[in-house]
Amino acid sequence: MLEQLLIFTRGGLILWTCKEIGNALKGSPIDTLIRSCLLEERSGAVSFNYDAPGAAYTLKWTFHNDLGLVFVAVYQRILHLLYVDDLLSMVKQSFSEVYDPKRMAYDDFDETFRQLRMEAEARAEELRKIKQLGKPVTGSVKKQGQVLKAGLEGGNKRVGEGGSKKDDGDGIKGKVSNLTNGHHSNENHKLGDDSQEGDLANGKENTSSNVAVDLSKLQKLRSKGVRGRGGVRKADSIGNKSSKVAAAEPAKKATKKNRVWDDAAPKQSKLDFTDSVDENGNNDHVEVVAADQGESMMDKEEVFSSDSESDDDDDDEPGSDEKPAEAKKKGWFSSVFQSITGKANLEKTDLGPALKALKERLMTKNVAEEIAEKLCESVEASLEGKKLSSFTRISSTVQAAMEDALVRILTPRRSIDILRDVHASKEQRKPYVVVFVGVNGVGKSTNLAKVAYWLQQHKVSVMMAACDTFRSGAVEQLRTHARRLQIPIFEKGYEKDPAVVAKEAIQEATRNGSDVVLVDTAGRMQDNEPLMRALSKLINLNQPDLVLFVGEALVGNDAVDQLSKFNQKLSDLSTSGNPRLIDGILLTKFDTIDDKVGAALSMVYISGSPVMFVGCGQSYTDLKKLNVKAIVKTLLK
């Protein structure tokens, strides 16, 4: 049963709801659809599932892009209603005929909807009956085919039995007949077993003269190692091949010795250049950096000029360079004429070439293929049926729509101001806890030190927690950063429970009055069940204020897998009803990718979390904010 159907504008004004249905929806499925799907450029999806306490809904929708209307149908997921798509299409067509932008109430549409609903249900019921009637028909046809096949096989067997007792039932490629006028011959019987060609296949009678001729030919072919009509005998061919390979195998060569370039060169006596430490683990040679490396790039406004990069607005549709000159002239004239007169409504066939080129361009910028395809589907859904204005080309319209979509995705849905939240936690006399998570080798410890340096510049007291008790050297690495920055560090060594270490670190920070605790965790692959369970325990036990996922800007399709599985594991392994997921993203190695900036888009799209920091160098100051306009410009150039 249909739970609800409503029509509203893209601005959020509800024009009509079905009063006949009038079911009270549990939860807020419409609001969730708008926030999680329509505003996040996921409108190209087929449906949206919403789970509420005591109910599970499926939502389907369609757009009238020219009028700016949205039609949404809600029904129980367990029902699998077949007429919803057809009903939405009919409602869209009927309502667009009576729609008036100045009109706010459409009470007279109730009767129209009732008739449309009855018609859609009748069509669905008719299709269901046709499918039910079609099943036995197909079964009877299949049985008739089996009977016919069995009859043909039986006929073949009879023909074979009339010719020879050893026939396998194949009348076309049977064995050579052993009968000569109804009498057996031992010699012919042996030859007949080795041959697969028969006189019946050639349509000839088995006479004594024919058999004699065939036997002489078969003996010659057999002596040459040929079977049937030019087919090489398997045993002989395998034997010949193996003998040739054995004869052709050369003797094994002696391994080449390593060349010594200079025997008189002095050997390096010391390869370990790490600074020596005393028996207490203290190192007096570590350089103290404190806050003298200059201003962090986080506090610098990045200037982006839109004129610095040339726009390719003069490019025509994809594949135009491959056309001859006359076709180019003709296409240019027709496109100019069409841009002047305008087009009635955009269709999928019109948008297809431009969207295909845009998808390929996004994929060359390191955007995951799945994300690029969903984005193009969303843009197609937002433009289909929209009227193209005069002096406007389809390619520029599609690119403008994609640019708006990318800006909406990369712009954070909620503001995360760490400095503001730190001061709010300080007023409550508790430390602000940040946990850094991610896969192996992405630079969690290094960028944790960059964040600590940035916080230090804003007069915030920081303490590091060495909770990577798995990787050898992780504690020493963090200890080195702490000494260079003159930041206290809490450590318990290796092979300890990281969740307990983090809890003790937070307690120590509370006693010492530290404002922020930066928790370093072990790198783990998204499929490593024990380490993911340990990470979930750490987050559930300590309830950090911010969970940062540290990811490389070099990854492409793997970014989708990493973030989705991290969130899925944190959700599945959580012991609370409201699990803590990833709150933000720290993108590392951003200075090594040139214009391949698609990983930022893939990560934000799949998780819905903003990119809060971007690592772009080796020093502590090389940490900056994400410039959304620059990213979008790079993706579309």
Side-chain angles (χ1 to χ4, degrees):
M1 179 180 178
L2 196 66
E3 295 290 327
Q4 188 57 270
L5 193 144
L6 70 159
I7 305 171
F8 57 92
T9 64
R10 288 187 179 271
L13 177 64
I14 298 178
L15 299 176
W16 179 84
T17 57
C18 182
K19 298 182 180 64
E20 180 183 354
I21 300 175
N23 295 330
L25 299 177
K26 297 180 180 179
S28 54
I30 305 297
D31 295 340
T32 306
L33 171 70
I34 295 173
R35 285 195 310 268
S36 303
C37 193
L38 303 185
L39 293 180
E40 292 296 320
E41 296 303 324
R42 292 178 172 87
S43 56
V46 177
S47 61
F48 176 76
N49 294 328
Y50 176 79
D51 294 317
Y57 298 117
T58 295
L59 290 84
K60 291 192 174 183
W61 62 91
T62 185
F63 300 109
H64 196 300
N65 293 309
D66 194 21
L67 300 178
L69 301 178
V70 184
F71 304 80
V72 180
V74 186
Y75 60 93
Q76 293 285 348
R77 190 185 308 168
I78 196 173
L79 296 180
H80 299 289
L81 301 182
L82 302 177
Y83 63 87
V84 175
D85 294 328
D86 193 15
L87 178 62
L88 282 174
S89 178
M90 291 190 295
V91 169
K92 171 184 172 181
Q93 182 178 359
S94 299
F95 191 83
S96 61
E97 295 174 357
V98 299
Y99 174 69
D100 185 2
K102 299 180 181 179
R103 185 178 174 185
M104 296 299 172
Y106 293 87
D107 296 334
D108 55 344
F109 192 71
D110 295 343
E111 183 63 29
T112 306
F113 173 74
R114 189 179 298 108
Q115 296 176 0
L116 294 176
R117 183 182 176 188
M118 292 175 59
E119 183 180 349
E121 290 178 349
R123 287 183 185 178
E125 184 67 21
E126 185 179 353
L127 288 174
R128 188 179 62 83
K129 290 180 180 179
I130 291 175
K131 288 182 179 180
Q132 288 181 351
L133 292 174
K135 288 181 180 179
V137 173
T138 56
S140 62
V141 171
K142 185 176 181 181
K143 289 181 180 178
Q144 290 176 2
Q146 291 177 352
V147 172
L148 181 60
K149 184 177 179 182
L152 291 175
E153 289 178 353
N156 291 339
K157 288 182 180 178
R158 292 189 192 98
V159 172
E161 288 172 2
S164 173
K165 292 182 179 180
K166 290 183 176 289
D167 198 338
D168 59 354
D170 192 348
I172 299 175
K173 294 185 179 178
K175 295 183 179 179
V176 176
S177 176
N178 302 335
L179 296 176
T180 306
N181 294 330
H183 298 286
H184 285 281
S185 173
N186 294 332
E187 185 180 359
N188 296 346
H189 178 70
K190 293 177 182 177
L191 292 171
D193 289 339
D194 294 332
S195 176
Q196 288 186 348
E197 286 295 325
D199 295 330
L200 288 175
N202 298 327
K204 298 179 181 180
E205 259 185 349
N206 283 331
T207 58
S208 58
S209 60
N210 290 336
V211 173
V213 173
D214 290 340
L215 290 179
S216 61
K217 289 181 179 179
L218 288 173
Q219 287 176 352
K220 292 180 180 179
L221 294 174
R222 190 176 182 183
S223 62
K224 294 179 180 179
V226 180
R227 186 172 185 176
R229 293 187 178 179
V232 181
R233 294 182 62 186
K234 292 183 179 179
D236 296 340
S237 62
I238 293 172
N240 294 336
K241 286 182 180 178
S242 60
S243 61
K244 290 179 181 179
V245 171
E249 281 184 356
K252 292 184 178 180
K253 296 182 179 180
T255 57
K256 185 178 180 181
K257 295 181 180 180
N258 294 330
R259 178 176 295 177
V260 179
W261 292 98
D262 191 0
D263 295 333
K267 293 183 179 180
Q268 190 72 12
S269 59
K270 181 183 178 182
L271 294 177
D272 187 7
F273 293 99
T274 55
D275 296 323
S276 59
V277 296
D278 56 17
E279 57 183 6
N280 296 326
N282 297 322
N283 186 353
D284 299 330
H285 302 286
V286 177
E287 180 186 359
V288 176
V289 177
D292 58 355
Q293 281 201 356
E295 186 182 5
S296 175
M297 297 178 68
M298 281 289 297
D299 302 319
K300 296 179 181 179
E301 291 294 333
E302 186 176 359
V303 179
F304 175 73
S305 175
S306 59
D307 300 331
S308 59
E309 297 171 356
S310 59
D311 296 334
D312 299 332
D313 293 336
D314 296 332
D315 294 340
D316 290 330
E317 299 297 328
S320 61
D321 295 338
E322 300 175 1
K323 298 178 181 179
E326 295 181 0
K328 281 186 178 181
K329 292 180 181 179
K330 183 179 179 181
W332 175 84
F333 179 77
S334 59
S335 63
V336 168
F337 180 76
Q338 184 176 344
S339 65
I340 294 174
T341 58
K343 184 175 176 60
N345 288 306
L346 291 174
E347 300 176 357
K348 286 187 177 181
T349 54
D350 303 324
L351 300 171
L355 288 173
K356 182 180 179 181
L358 206 54
K359 176 184 174 182
E360 293 175 355
R361 189 184 307 175
L362 290 174
M363 290 174 61
T364 58
K365 303 294 184 181
N366 221 14
V367 178
E369 182 181 2
E370 177 186 353
I371 305 301
E373 186 173 354
K374 288 182 178 179
L375 278 172
C376 291
E377 290 176 356
S378 178
V379 170
E380 181 183 17
S382 65
L383 291 178
E384 186 180 358
K386 191 174 183 179
K387 187 175 181 180
L388 187 66
S389 58
S390 301
F391 299 99
T392 307
R393 288 180 301 172
I394 296 177
S395 58
S396 58
T397 302
V398 170
Q399 180 148 342
M402 179 62 76
E403 185 174 352
D404 294 340
L406 295 179
V407 171
R408 280 196 299 269
I409 292 171
L410 292 174
T411 303
R413 287 181 296 175
R414 60 188 181 93
S415 176
I416 301 179
D417 191 343
I418 293 181
L419 295 176
R420 181 194 61 195
D421 296 341
V422 166
H423 289 299
S425 297
K426 189 176 181 179
E427 292 177 357
Q428 299 176 5
R429 295 183 179 180
K430 65 176 184 178
Y432 186 82
V433 183
V434 183
V435 176
F436 293 77
V437 302
V439 299
N440 308 80
V442 294
K444 291 183 296 298
S445 302
T446 303
N447 286 274
L448 182 147
K450 293 180 183 180
V451 174
Y453 178 78
W454 170 66
L455 291 172
Q456 266 190 326
Q457 289 189 315
H458 290 273
K459 309 302 179 183
V460 176
S461 60
V462 184
M463 187 178 78
M464 296 181 180
C467 296
D468 185 355
T469 62
F470 184 78
R471 176 174 65 89
S472 300
V475 177
E476 288 78 6
Q477 180 186 5
L478 204 64
R479 186 189 301 157
T480 302
H481 286 303
R483 285 175 181 163
R484 295 193 68 193
L485 297 174
Q486 293 183 333
I487 291 176
I489 180 173
F490 186 88
E491 56 174 292
K492 286 292 184 179
Y494 297 98
E495 297 182 359
K496 300 293 192 300
D497 189 352
V500 176
V501 175
K503 185 176 182 179
E504 293 177 359
I506 296 172
Q507 294 173 353
E508 180 70 18
T510 305
R511 287 192 297 268
N512 296 339
S514 297
D515 298 331
V516 178
V517 179
L518 302 180
V519 181
D520 184 29
T521 62
R524 66 204 76 214
M525 297 306 295
Q526 59 269 23
D527 298 320
N528 192 324
E529 183 73 20
L531 287 179
M532 290 302 301
R533 192 175 296 275
L535 178 63
S536 178
K537 178 183 177 182
L538 185 150
I539 293 176
N540 293 327
L541 181 63
N542 297 284
Q543 290 297 316
D545 298 282
L546 186 65
V547 180
L548 280 182
F549 179 84
V550 185
E552 283 183 332
L554 305 171
V555 296
N557 290 319
D558 198 37
V560 177
D561 188 55
Q562 288 177 8
L563 268 168
S564 58
K565 287 189 176 179
F566 259 83
N567 269 333
Q568 186 65 39
K569 289 291 183 182
L570 291 177
S571 177
D572 294 343
L573 300 175
S574 176
T575 56
S576 63
N578 187 18
R580 283 297 306 276
L581 303 180
I582 293 169
D583 299 315
I585 300 168
L586 195 157
L587 208 57
T588 66
K589 306 176 185 178
F590 206 74
D591 55 323
T592 63
I593 57 172
D594 194 23
D595 62 343
K596 304 293 191 292
V597 296
L601 177 64
S602 300
M603 290 184 178
V604 172
Y605 188 91
I606 199 66
S607 66
S609 303
V611 176
M612 301 182 60
F613 302 100
V614 174
C616 55
Q618 299 287 335
S619 64
Y620 291 126
T621 60
D622 294 330
L623 190 73
K624 63 180 182 180
K625 299 177 183 178
L626 184 72
N627 192 325
V628 175
K629 292 183 180 179
I631 296 296
V632 173
K633 195 74 174 179
T634 305
L635 286 172
L636 296 179
K637 74 175 182 180

